[in-house]
Amino acid sequence: MKVEIKYFGMLAEITGCSTERFTVVDLKMAGLKKELLKKYPDFANTDFRMAQNKELVTDTTLLTGKEIAVLPPFAGG
Amino acid sequence: MSRYGRHISLKEIGIIGQNKINASKVLVVGAGGLGCPVLQYLVGAGVGNIGIVDFDVVEESNLQRQILFGTSSMGKNKAKMAKEVLLHLNPTINIKAYNEKLTPENSISIIEQYDIVVDATDNFASRYLINDATVVLGKPLVYGAIYKFEGQVTVFNYNNGPSYRCVFPNLPQKGTMANCSEVGVLGVLPGIIGTMQANEVLKIILDIGESLAGKLYCFNALTNQSNTIGIARNEEQIEKVKNRGYDFETLDDSFFCTSSVSEINMENAIAEDIQYIDVRELHEQPRIALNNVLEIPLGELSNQMDTISKDKKIVVFCKSGIRSKQAVSLLKQYDISNCFSLKEGISAFKKRFQKQYK
């Protein structure tokens, strides 16, 4: 399945883009996460969370491909 | 009440609402980029009791975004300085400045005096501590955080909504995140995010509109794009924090933003009246044989605070500039604010002496 992913904060710096089309085989969020970590090993350095269709999701959530976002925590103030 | 006339004319606020604002008690942790606009608007709005926690001092590089401070504020404690400025804006407010770091030990006694807590800090250790303490005490937490051109705002522990740990369960591993001293920030960004935090505080006090509880608002100042992501309550995370109770995770100082440590180059650190402190172990070579060098290894520093003059400019050095940064943080905790960490440590001295003898 092809999904479009939005990257935030330092994750967008790692990918060099704010959105990207991605092809995934595994239809669970965990599968997509694994693919992302494979393509961008530096993602492992942030405790990021994934969202789909404007809701935070877990590893076991099924991919619908709707508005995937990858969010890192920010510390700054 | 003419000060609040424009609030009172709003039917959603009125005299009753303004009285609620005047009676409220809000704690703002961090008087930096986010804290300054939060405080300015809350004091302007008439929030009757405000606590400000910040142990840091104003530095020149803060002035680009920390709008309560001016050039003459440099070197002064942020909490005290903010109080002074805010009382000019609204002398009717009861403001308490806490010139200290929020710690597992003092967090409960400080936070329990307030109705709402604002997280305007710049480091993960404080953010997790504030979250845990407000979960245990059942206080709403208005959260804001920034990175370069992007910001996040939400409200935790409110209306049965999620906590910070429901979104990001664990303190990030040490060294895994970019440190804020190396990260720039667009000056106006904390202004936008902090103002949104102040707005959330007022809506909670007034019980009007829709709060951001359960929604993480993400804003990008470069693209003007905003994304609101639903965040759900995770009972397991909340129970964990409640079960730990007052037994908070210990703070690791390395999580504190080292931008709070002032660094200095050797060329600005040469003067007769400067007090150098060498925080290396006594066996580390070469020693610096100047009259104005105190030799206190880092581990001894807190025991020897009374040997250090508060009147002199202090320049701390070690081998490379890491221990000296820790020492400066420590000195600041003891109210010694005019102190700096020497960049490049001992090699800066080597270069200086080489130049002199040429």
Side-chain angles (χ1 to χ4, degrees):
Chain A
M1 177 165 54
K2 274 201 168 153
V3 294
E4 190 167 278
I5 305 176
K6 250 185 202 167
Y7 302 111
F8 289 84
M10 49 293 270
L11 299 177
E13 287 168 18
I14 294 171
T15 62
C17 57
S18 55
T19 55
E20 182 178 34
R21 301 276 287 172
F22 220 90
T23 309
V24 274
V25 189
D26 190 331
L27 291 185
K28 286 220 179 79
M29 207 42 86
L32 174 58
K33 211 167 163 181
K34 224 167 137 188
E35 293 286 326
L36 282 173
L37 285 165
K38 205 166 115 195
K39 185 164 180 191
Y40 305 112
D42 285 346
F43 271 30
N45 292 332
T46 66
D47 230 339
F48 64 89
R49 289 295 307 271
M50 316 265 294
Q52 176 168 252
N53 198 17
K54 298 188 196 298
E55 293 289 334
L56 223 55
V57 292
T58 63
D59 284 355
T60 53
T61 308
L62 277 178
L63 270 178
T64 63
K66 239 185 178 178
E67 281 191 64
I68 310 278
V70 196
L71 305 154
F74 295 164
Chain B
M1 288 296 257
S2 67
R3 179 184 282 271
Y4 308 116
R6 295 296 180 97
H7 267 167
I8 293 166
S9 344
L10 291 167
K11 71 173 181 356
E12 291 81 356
I13 299 180
I15 287 187
I16 294 173
Q18 188 58 47
N19 286 339
K20 280 186 193 168
I21 298 174
N22 296 147
S24 62
K25 300 174 194 160
V26 179
L27 181 70
V28 179
V29 189
L34 293 171
C36 284
V38 170
L39 286 163
Q40 195 155 30
Y41 276 102
L42 294 185
V43 166
V47 169
N49 303 279
I50 289 187
I52 310 169
V53 186
D54 205 315
F55 70 99
D56 209 355
V57 294
V58 179
E59 291 179 37
E60 192 175 16
S61 64
N62 299 152
L63 303 179
Q64 154 253 29
R65 63 194 182 286
Q66 302 185 11
I67 49 164
L68 289 176
F69 310 128
T71 309
S72 63
S73 322
M74 275 158 39
K76 292 185 180 156
N77 170 257
K78 288 186 184 177
K80 288 183 186 166
M81 194 63 224
K83 176 180 172 175
E84 202 181 309
V85 174
L86 291 164
L87 284 175
H88 278 288
L89 170 60
N90 191 343
T92 69
I93 308 295
N94 172 27
I95 301 176
K96 187 161 166 53
Y98 298 88
N99 176 9
E100 55 192 299
K101 194 190 272 184
L102 198 75
T103 65
E105 291 73 34
N106 66 14
S107 56
I108 292 293
S109 63
I110 295 176
I111 291 173
E112 68 183 0
Q113 301 172 51
Y114 298 87
D115 308 322
I116 300 170
V117 180
V118 179
D119 180 351
T121 61
D122 62 1
N123 64 86
F124 286 119
S126 299
R127 292 185 180 281
Y128 280 86
L129 173 62
I130 294 167
N131 175 71
D132 294 356
T134 52
V135 166
V136 172
L137 292 171
K139 309 264 183 189
L141 169 60
V142 178
Y143 166 92
I146 52 172
Y147 179 79
K148 293 188 179 178
F149 297 96
E150 290 175 66
Q152 300 172 339
V153 192
T154 187
V155 175
F156 294 125
N157 317 325
Y158 183 58
N159 281 347
N160 209 29
S163 72
Y164 185 45
R165 283 189 193 264
C166 301
V167 187
F168 298 109
N170 301 310
L171 197 65
Q173 289 298 301
K174 196 168 156 181
T176 53
M177 304 297 297
N179 193 303
C180 38
S181 67
E182 295 136 28
V183 174
V185 61
L186 182 71
V188 73
L189 176 72
I192 295 168
I193 300 298
T195 307
M196 292 194 70
Q197 287 180 279
N199 184 40
E200 291 304 307
V201 170
L202 291 174
K203 286 191 296 181
I204 294 171
I205 295 169
L206 294 164
D207 197 16
I208 58 172
E210 256 179 63
S211 91
L212 277 173
K215 287 171 275 185
L216 183 68
Y217 176 86
C218 308
F219 175 73
N220 185 322
L222 283 183
T223 60
N224 282 317
Q225 274 191 358
S226 60
N227 286 274
T228 307
I229 312 275
I231 49 178
R233 188 178 164 95
N234 181 331
E235 292 301 338
E236 195 190 328
Q237 289 299 335
I238 289 175
E239 277 312 302
K240 252 197 236 169
V241 171
K242 283 188 174 164
N243 290 338
R244 268 203 303 267
Y246 294 175
D247 194 10
F248 299 117
E249 279 184 320
T250 330
L251 296 188
D252 182 334
D253 261 6
S254 64
F255 278 109
F256 283 95
C257 178
T258 52
S259 72
S260 63
V261 173
S262 338
E263 287 187 293
I264 193 167
N265 286 316
M266 182 53 98
E267 52 261 41
N268 299 318
I270 303 173
E272 281 299 305
D273 56 348
I274 281 180
Q275 175 68 67
Y276 294 109
I277 304 177
D278 183 350
V279 291
R280 294 176 302 157
E281 297 301 311
L282 298 173
H283 59 79
E284 288 179 71
Q285 297 295 333
R287 305 310 294 179
I288 300 299
L290 292 173
N291 289 331
N292 50 348
V293 176
L294 268 176
E295 298 184 327
I296 311 175
L298 182 59
E300 294 289 307
L301 191 59
S302 42
N303 294 328
Q304 298 201 32
M305 282 296 168
D306 45 358
T307 63
I308 299 164
S309 163
K310 288 192 180 185
D311 308 322
K312 285 185 181 168
K313 179 174 176 177
I314 291 168
V315 174
V316 187
F317 66 92
C318 59
K319 183 164 184 277
S320 61
I322 293 172
R323 277 172 289 176
S324 54
K325 275 189 186 172
Q326 292 174 12
V328 167
S329 300
L330 196 62
L331 289 166
K332 285 185 176 174
Q333 284 178 46
Y334 283 84
D335 238 3
I336 300 173
S337 49
N338 192 12
C339 55
F340 302 86
S341 163
L342 181 67
K343 273 190 187 168
E344 297 178 54
I346 201 76
S347 45
F349 272 103
K350 285 185 193 161
K351 282 182 202 160
R352 169 178 161 186
F353 293 138
Q354 274 165 8
K355 267 188 200 160
Q356 277 181 1
Y357 297 129
K358 261 179 193 168

